[in-house]
Amino acid sequence: MAPRDAGSTDSRKFQVIADDLRTEIADGIHRVGRQLPSQRELQATYGVSRETVGRALEVLRAEGLISSSRGRPATVTEGPGAAAAAHPVPSAQPAQVTLQPRLRAAFEAEEITMDVLSLTSETMAQHLGAQVARISDGEIRPQSIVLRLMLPDITGIRLAFPRGVEDPDDDRPRKRHRDMVINHARSLRHSLLRLRHQGLVPEVSVQIRTVPFTPPLKLYLLNKDQLLEGYYTLEQWTPEPIDGVEVTILDSLGVGATLFPYTKPGQALKVEAAQKFFDSYWDQLAQDADFGD
C-alpha cells in the first residue's frame, strides 16, 4: 500500500492518532503514571508530521487524559475508566489495536520472543525501529531477542496476490512484491543483529523461513503470551510506475490493517492454538529463506 502522507495535518489523521491512544489507555496498555510513546515514535508509527502528532496529543490533554512537560513524552494522568467514559465503546464491538504499543510493551521484558507470519513484514520493519532506538538510547536493556519470521515463498510459487488487474500474468507486480519482501526482511535482520554486534543485547537470533502459500492473514505472537491477528483486505490501486509503466494491481491492505489482540491468561486457548499453528508450519512446512545480505 502507498505510505501515508507525512506532511498532512488533516483532521482525520490527528483524530485517528488520538482515538488509537485513547483506546490504548482504556485497554490499560498505557497505565496511569506511565509515559506514552515519544512524538518521534508516534511520527514513525503513523507516518505523519510532528504537528499532526502534537494536535492529537492536545486532544487528549484537553480531555484530561494526559499531561506533558517540555522535552519529555506525555504521561497518562487518568485511568482506563476515565478514558472509556470519555469515549464509550459499545460492548459488542471487539477490541482493535495497532502493533506499535503492543510491541513497545513486549520490549519491556528481559527476554523477548517474536513469531511473525505476514505477507511482506513491512509493518514489523516499520515499527521495530522505535524499539531499536529505545535500546540504543539506554531506555530498555533486554538480554535476549528472538525473531522467527515466516513469509510466503516469493520465488517457488505464484502468489494469489498481488497481481495485475488487467493482466494477471503481468509479472511486474510480483517482482515489486518480491523486492519489498527481501528489503523488509533484510532491514529487520540487520537492525536486530546490529544490537548484538554493538554489545547492546547479549543474545539476538533472527530466523527467516518461507511457506508455499499466500497468507490471508497476519499474526504476531509476542513473548509467548500475546497474539495479534489481522486479516488482509484486497483492493485495487495504482502504485508508483513499475519499470516506468503504471499498473493497477490487486493488492492487500497490510500496513494499518486492524489487529485483534488475545492475551494470556484470559484468552490462553486462542493464544496457545495460534502458537501451535505457527510452530507446526514452521517445523513441518517452512524452508529457510535465502535473501542474501
Side-chain angles (χ1 to χ4, degrees):
M1 292 298 297
R4 295 170 177 171
D5 178 6
S8 175
T9 58
D10 63 82
S11 60
R12 193 186 76 82
K13 288 192 174 180
F14 84 79
Q15 287 292 353
V16 166
I17 299 170
D19 289 346
D20 284 353
L21 291 174
R22 189 186 297 110
T23 299
E24 289 158 9
I25 293 172
D27 286 347
I29 298 172
H30 306 304
R31 300 181 184 276
V32 174
R34 300 293 297 273
Q35 292 181 339
L36 293 180
S38 67
Q39 290 199 29
R40 183 179 66 174
E41 289 181 74
L42 292 172
Q43 283 180 257
T45 297
Y46 290 94
V48 297
S49 68
R50 187 178 183 87
E51 180 184 356
T52 300
V53 170
R55 292 180 68 185
L57 295 177
E58 185 57 39
V59 170
L60 300 184
R61 195 176 298 111
E63 294 172 0
L65 297 179
I66 64 172
S67 64
S68 61
S69 58
R70 187 175 183 83
R72 296 180 62 82
T75 300
V76 178
T77 56
E78 293 286 356
H87 289 264
V89 177
S91 59
Q93 181 174 328
Q96 302 175 16
V97 301
T98 55
L99 177 61
Q100 179 74 323
R102 300 284 173 153
L103 195 61
R104 179 184 175 90
F107 267 72
E108 299 288 342
E110 286 194 359
E111 297 181 353
I112 301 162
T113 64
M114 299 174 286
D115 290 339
V116 180
L117 168 65
S118 65
L119 189 66
T120 67
S121 76
E122 180 179 7
T123 302
M124 191 70 179
Q126 181 184 86
H127 294 314
L128 189 67
Q131 306 316 313
V132 170
R134 293 175 69 204
I135 295 173
S136 298
D137 293 343
E139 180 182 338
I140 51 175
R141 287 296 187 199
Q143 295 303 298
S144 68
I145 300 175
V146 176
L147 169 65
R148 296 193 299 175
L149 175 61
M150 195 153 54
L151 299 166
D153 185 349
I154 55 174
T155 58
I157 66 170
R158 171 165 286 198
L159 301 182
F161 58 87
R163 63 176 175 82
V165 172
E166 295 183 0
D167 181 5
D169 293 326
D170 187 344
D171 194 51
R172 283 173 296 189
R174 294 182 176 89
K175 179 180 181 298
R176 174 182 177 275
H177 177 255
R178 286 195 295 269
D179 292 342
M180 289 179 60
V181 169
I182 293 172
N183 290 338
H184 291 308
R186 285 176 175 173
S187 175
L188 281 172
R189 179 197 292 150
H190 292 167
S191 62
L192 288 176
L193 293 181
R194 188 163 54 244
L195 294 172
R196 186 181 66 194
H197 296 156
Q198 293 174 339
L200 296 174
V201 180
E203 297 181 18
V204 178
S205 172
V206 179
Q207 293 179 278
I208 303 173
R209 293 184 180 179
T210 61
V211 286
F213 62 83
T214 309
L217 79 167
K218 58 167 62 178
L219 65 82
Y220 306 91
L221 286 153
L222 306 177
N223 294 346
K224 306 297 182 183
D225 62 7
Q226 181 169 193
L227 163 68
L228 304 177
E229 186 178 86
Y231 300 94
Y232 286 114
T233 302
L234 297 179
E235 63 179 50
Q236 297 181 15
W237 72 295
T238 305
E240 292 295 319
I242 305 173
D243 296 337
V245 179
E246 283 195 354
V247 180
T248 300
I249 64 176
L250 181 67
D251 201 358
S252 63
L253 176 62
V255 174
T258 298
L259 296 175
F260 297 92
Y262 305 89
T263 57
K264 290 183 178 181
Q267 296 156 317
L269 187 61
K270 174 71 173 180
V271 177
E272 290 168 1
Q275 188 67 65
K276 185 177 180 180
F277 159 81
F278 185 95
D279 290 342
S280 67
Y281 278 68
W282 181 267
D283 294 333
Q284 304 296 329
L285 189 62
Q287 301 292 322
D288 288 339
D290 181 12
F291 294 153
D293 295 328

